[in-house]
Amino acid sequence: MQSLTRQTFIAGLTLAGLAFPAAAFAQGAAKVGAPAPAFQAVDVEGKTRNLQEFAGKTVILEWTNHDCPYVRKHYNSATMQNLQKDMAKEGVVWLSVISSPQGEQGHVDAARAKELTVQRNAAPAGILLDPKSVMARAYGAQTTPHMYIIDPKGTLAYMGAIDDKPTSAASSLEGAKSYVRQAVAELKAGKPVSEASTKAYGCVVKYAPLS
Amino acid sequence: MRLYFGKRFLRGAALALGLFAPGLALAAESAAVTSPRVNATLLSSRDAVAPGERFKVALVQKLAPQWHTYWLNPGDSGEPTQIKWDLPVGASAGEIQWPAPKAIRVEPLVNFGFEGTLLLPLEITVPADAKPGETFALKAEATWLVCEKICIPEEGSFSLDLPIAAASTADEVAEARIDAAIASLPQPAAFRGKLRDDAGKLVLDLPGLPAGAADLRFFPVSDTLIEHAAEQPFAAGDKPALTLIRSSAFKLAKPEVSGVLTFTENGLPTAITLLADADSALMAAGGATESETRPAVVRIPMPVEGADLTLWAALAFALAGGLILNLMPCVLPVLFIKALGFAQLAHRSRSEVREQGLLFMGGVLVTFMVLAGAVIALGALGSSVGWGFQLQSPPLVIAFAVVMVLIGLNLLGAFEIGTSVTGLGDGLASRGGRLGAFMTGVLAVVVATPCTAPFMGAAMGYAVTQPPAVALSVFMALALGFALPVVALSFAPGLLRLLPKPGRWMLVLKQAFAFPMFATAIWLIWVASVQSGPQGVLAALVAVLAAGFAVWLVGVTRGSFLRRAFGSVLAALVVLGAGWFTVQNAIPGAATEARAGDIEAWSPERVATLQAQGKPVFVNFTAAWCITCIANERVALSRQEVKDAFARLGVVYLKADWTNRDSRIAKALAEQGRAGVPLYLFYPARKEAQAEILPQLLTVDELIAAAERAAGRNAKTAALP
C-alpha cells in the first residue's frame, strides 16, 4: 500500500467499486487512525481545493443537505453556525460538502449554496460541491450531517455523528454532547480522541450513480 | 369453537348503525393522523377493557408507495418510530414488538425499515383497580421519520377512550389484524449464534440453521456492529455462517449480540430473532466506552392467540373436544372393541374391568403426551407441524395401514398375537390383557388423529402458541376427554350389566369388526396414493403383503428354539426389506400436483389479488388424511346448491392442501389460531378485508349464507365500510 500514491489508491478503489459496489463501499471507507482519503473538489468560488493545501491544520468535513430535517435541526437553532464560528476561532478549517447529484434532492449550484450560507449566517471556510459523489464515496459518508476531523498530519482523527442525540427533534439539542467539540479539544490538548468513531445519524446521503 | 359468526354479525350491524348515529359507533381505532406519505392510527383489540387485563394495541402506519419508516436499528441513516404514552394512573405500556425489517437500498447505502402497511403491536396493562363504568383513556404521542429519498419527520397524537367493563369485549376485526401482525413477528431462534473474529472480518456462526436456508440477512439491533450495506456472504453446509464487515464505529457493549435473521426456507420467507455470543477477542477489540443506548434484546413475541381463550376456556374446550372425538368415525371401531372386552369381563370381575379402563386411559394419555411433545418440540425447532402431522409422512401412513390389516386379520382369527401386541385376540378373555388394554388406548389415539372434532381446533390452536407446560395441559385435557367415556363405562357396573352375557355373538361381532379395520387400511392406502402416487400404492401393498407373510412365518415356526429363531430372523428380514422399499417409494409430494384438479391452489398472494379485484374468496384448508375435511366436502362443499350459490355470487374457491407438509399453510393456520385442518375461511370482496372463519362442521345453509355475506349481498351487512 505504501508504494501506491493516494490518487492511484483511490482510482483503484473506484475501479473495485465498479465491480463490487457494496463491498468496496464498506471496506474502502475512511478509517480513523489512517491517512484521510485525499480529495479534489471544486468549491463554490470555482476554485479546485484538495486536502494537501491544508497540511498542518486541523480540517473538519461536514456533509450537509440544507433540506434534511436533521441538518435543519442544527442550523435552525444556530448550533451548527456557532460550532463553525468557534472552530474558526480555534484555527480549524471547516469545509461543508454537498454530495447530492443533479436531479436529486439537496443538489445546489454554487450560487444557491452561497445564498444559503448568507441566509443562515453560516461560517464555513469553504463549501465543496461533490455532485458526482466522488468525495462521499472516498469517505463513506452516509448521512447528513456526517462529520470527519482530520488532524494537522493528515490523519483521520474522528468520524461519525455531530452529537449524541440521534433525532431530528429540536428539543434534543439541549444537553447534547458535541462529539466534534470533544474531539477537537482533545486533539488540541495532545490527547487521543476518546470517542473517535461514532454512528452518524441523519438523512441518507444521495449518491450519484457510478458511471 | 369461537363464535366468530355471531359476534362478527353483531359488530357489522353495530357498525352499520354507527354510520347513521356516529355517537353509537364502537371505536377501537383512533382518529387518523394523515400526511401525503403516512396514514397512521392507533388500533385496539378491545372495544371495552376489564380491570387488570392486558390487551393488545398497534400503531398502524399505511405508507404511500416508495416511502418507508425505520426499524429499531435504522441502518445507515434514519430513525425508528417512537411512541410516548400518557396512560391512566396504574396502567402501563409494553415495548413495541418490531416486525422483521427489510433492507431498503439507497445506493450505496442501506436502510432497515418497512414499506406498505405496518403494524407495530404492543401490550397495554389495565390497572386492577380500574372502575367498571369509567373510561380508560389511551393517549400516545408518536414520532417517526418517513423517507423516500428525502426524509420528513412526522408526529401524531392518538387517543382512544375505551369503556371499562367487568368483562372486556374484543373488537374481532381489530384483534384479528393485530394477531396476524403478531403471528408474523420474527420467532425466537431455537439456537444461539456465535460471533467471532476471522482475520479482521466478523463471522456469525449459525449452528441449527435449517438446512435449505438461503438468502440470509442479519439485522443487528446495535447500529455500531456491522457495515449495514456490505454483502453478507453465506457459507452453507455443516457449519453455516455469515461473513459480516465490522462497522467503522465498531462497538460491543455486551458479550451478547442480538438481532433478526431473515432467510428463505424452501423459498418461503422466514424471520427469527437471534442471540449470538461474541468471543472474548472481539469483546477486547470492541468493548464500549459508553453504555449501549438501544435495548439489547429483541423482545420475544407475544402469544398469537389467547386473547379470546383463557387457559380455563382452552382446557374446557379441549375436554369437550376430546369427548366428542369419541363419536368420530375414525375411533368408533376401536372403542367398540374395548367395550366388547368389557362385556367379556363384566360378568367376571369388577376390579379387572376398572383396571382395564384405567390402563386404557394410561395408553391414551401417554400417546397424547408423545404426540404433543413431538408437536411442541418440532415447533420449537422451527418446523410448522400440527395435529395429524405424522400422517403427512407417507411411510407412517403405510405403517398405520399395515397395523390396521394386521388387527383385522387378528380379529378374524387368522393368527393369534396373544397378549403381546394388541391383546385384542386372546386378550379379550385373558387375565394378562394389561398391556393389551394399554395398547388399545394407544391405538385409539393413533386412529383418532385424522379426525378433529368441534372445539378441538380452537383448543389446539391455543395450545401450540403457549409455553410447553400450558400446551401439555391442554393436550392432557383433550386426552382426558377422549378417555373419559371408556373409563366411565369401566366404573359403571350397572351399565356393563346391561350388556348381554358373553357367548357366540361376541365371536361374530369380533369378526365383524375386522371389516372397519380393513376399510381404514383401504382409506390409508388411498391417502398414500394421494401423497405419493402409484408408487405409494405399490409400496403400501408390498408392505401389507410382507407384514402378513412375516406374521405367518412366525406362526408356522413355533416349536423348538431353532425353528423360532429361524422364523423370527426371516420375518425380521422381510419386514426390514418391505420397510426399505416403502421408504424408497413413498415420497411425499409426488402426487400433489395432479390432485389440485380444477380447483385453484391457495396462496396468500392469490387471495390478495382476488380481493383487490372485488371477488369474494373461499379457502378450504384440507388434507386427504383429514376425515372431517372429507366429510364436509361430501355433505356440503360438493353439493349442487353450494356450487350454484358460489357461481351466482362469483365466489372463487381456493384449496390449501395440507396432505403433505407445507410450512406456508401451517403458518396460515397458525395465524388463525389453529393447529390443524379443517379450516374454512371466507374473505369478503374488499381489499385486505379480514376473513370470516366458518365452523368446523359445515352445513349447506351456513356456506351459502357466508358466501352471501362475503359477496356483500346480504342487505343487513352490506353497509359495512
Side-chain angles (χ1 to χ4, degrees), chain B residues 382-407:
Chain B
S383 294
S384 306
V385 294
W387 185 241
F389 71 96
Q390 73 277 20
L391 292 169
Q392 290 174 340
S393 157
L396 277 179
V397 167
I398 291 172
F400 291 145
V402 168
V403 170
M404 290 299 150
V405 171
L406 292 181
I407 294 171

Side-chain angles (χ1 to χ4, degrees), chain B residues 414-418 547-560 563-571:
Chain B
F415 64 89
E416 310 238 309
I417 296 179
F549 183 62
V551 168
W552 174 79
L553 261 180
V554 172
V556 295
T557 52
R558 277 181 188 172
S560 75
R563 275 174 65 114
R564 271 183 306 171
F566 172 76
S568 309
V569 169
L570 201 58

Side-chain angles (χ1 to χ4, degrees), chain B residues 75-153:
Chain B
D76 283 334
S77 66
E79 198 179 326
T81 298
Q82 294 176 46
I83 306 175
K84 268 190 212 144
W85 291 97
D86 177 10
L87 297 172
V89 180
S92 62
E95 303 240 3
I96 293 177
Q97 310 285 308
W98 293 94
K102 284 206 314 189
I104 299 165
R105 221 161 243 293
V106 191
E107 284 297 348
L109 306 174
V110 159
N111 286 135
F112 298 161
F114 311 98
E115 294 171 324
T117 295
L118 170 68
L119 269 80
L120 298 175
L122 49 90
E123 275 189 341
I124 301 281
T125 308
V126 182
D129 59 0
K131 304 248 176 334
E134 293 182 357
T135 299
F136 188 72
L138 214 52
K139 285 195 176 64
E141 297 276 337
T143 56
W144 58 86
L145 182 72
V146 56
C147 299
E148 181 218 17
K149 269 194 171 176
I150 61 168
C151 293
I152 318 281

